[in-house]
Amino acid sequence: GAVVSQHPSRVICKSGTSVKIECRSLDFQATTMFWYRQFPKQSLMLMATSNEGSKATYEQGVEKDKFLINHASLTLSTLTVTSAHPEDSSFYICSARGVDRDYGYTFGSGTRLTVV
Amino acid sequence: GESVGLHLPTLSVQEGDNSIINCAYSNSASDYFIWYKQESGKGPQFIIDIRSNMDKRQGQRVTVLLNKTVKHLSLQIAATQPGDSAVYFCAESIEGADGLTFGKGTHLIIQP
């Protein structure tokens, strides 16, 4: 089946530094990747949608200069949290979709970011 | 029983009983619905999906019911087991649109 690998699974960084999270589709080509954010005991909130080779589309209220998304290939998307602050601490989850929606949405295992 | 907390509603059921988790979706234009299971510290795991041209779909020990009239979705889990303990989310999407919109989620707790 479709597998999405997300790394790192957890990261602790100092306030003001940047952190990169990788999302890879291992056995299919992901034309579209999605990035979600989840606070404790809350639901997943879509942050942005990225299509391979195009600029990401950000949801309202998500700062594109803070959350840099790159989808340079059909199997890799990265989310970089720039100048991280403690309020950016959260669980970040990526999802990948193949050629069309019928291929389904496959989720990564998530990244727990803690900014100290 | 079921209770609604500050964020996640909780459903507590006895092991072996059937569980019914409900979800009210927001967009009448949504035509594809998915139920996900999320264990602590992990990403969502696909359980079952249904398209808007169907009212019911069954999987292994799970059944999804869709009522488009009242925009309601439910997930039934038969003979609930300890391993079913998790948070369950419904998600909706629209043909031609990207991304999923997730519901609030329900924390399913299995009592021994």
Side-chain angles (χ1 to χ4, degrees), chain B residues 76-90:
Chain B
Q76 301 177 6
I77 304 173
T80 312
Q81 303 169 357
D84 295 329
S85 289
V87 177
Y88 290 81
F89 292 98
C90 66

Side-chain angles (χ1 to χ4, degrees), chain A residues 32 34 36 38 40-46 49 51 91 93 95 97 101-102 104-110 112, chain B residues 7-8 31-32 34 36 38 41-44 46 51 89 93-105:
Chain A
T32 307
F34 309 90
Y36 294 84
Q38 185 178 31
K41 298 190 185 303
Q42 293 189 27
S43 188
L44 285 75
M45 296 297 294
L46 180 65
T49 301
N51 291 293
F91 194 53
I93 310 170
S95 173
R97 190 179 71 196
R101 198 180 64 183
D102 285 347
Y105 299 83
T106 304
F107 284 82
S109 54
R112 172 71 61 194
Chain B
H7 297 297
L8 278 180
D31 59 356
Y32 180 57
I34 312 171
Y36 287 97
Q38 186 181 29
K42 298 183 179 179
F46 174 90
R51 297 194 179 279
F89 292 98
S93 75
I94 303 171
E95 179 70 52
D98 287 322
L100 293 171
T101 300
F102 279 81
K104 291 184 179 181

Side-chain angles (χ1 to χ4, degrees), chain B residues 6-110:
Chain B
L6 185 60
H7 297 297
L8 278 180
T10 298
L11 176 64
S12 183
V13 299
Q14 291 290 126
E15 182 178 349
D17 287 352
N18 297 334
S19 301
I20 300 176
I21 300 171
N22 297 303
C23 176
Y25 63 92
S26 57
N27 194 335
S28 57
S30 293
D31 59 356
Y32 180 57
F33 306 88
I34 312 171
W35 278 101
Y36 287 97
K37 172 185 181 182
Q38 186 181 29
E39 296 175 309
S40 181
K42 298 183 179 179
Q45 176 187 351
F46 174 90
I47 300 174
I48 192 168
D49 59 358
I50 188 169
R51 297 194 179 279
S52 59
N53 61 353
M54 302 175 69
D55 297 322
K56 179 180 179 179
R57 191 165 186 225
Q58 288 184 294
Q60 187 176 20
R61 268 201 320 120
V62 294
T63 301
V64 55
L65 298 178
L66 175 62
N67 186 329
K68 296 180 288 294
T69 303
V70 295
K71 293 189 289 187
H72 183 269
L73 197 66
S74 70
L75 175 70
Q76 301 177 6
I77 304 173
T80 312
Q81 303 169 357
D84 295 329
S85 289
V87 177
Y88 290 81
F89 292 98
C90 66
E92 60 185 290
S93 75
I94 303 171
E95 179 70 52
D98 287 322
L100 293 171
T101 300
F102 279 81
K104 291 184 179 181
T106 297
H107 187 189
L108 179 64
I109 296 174
I110 312 303

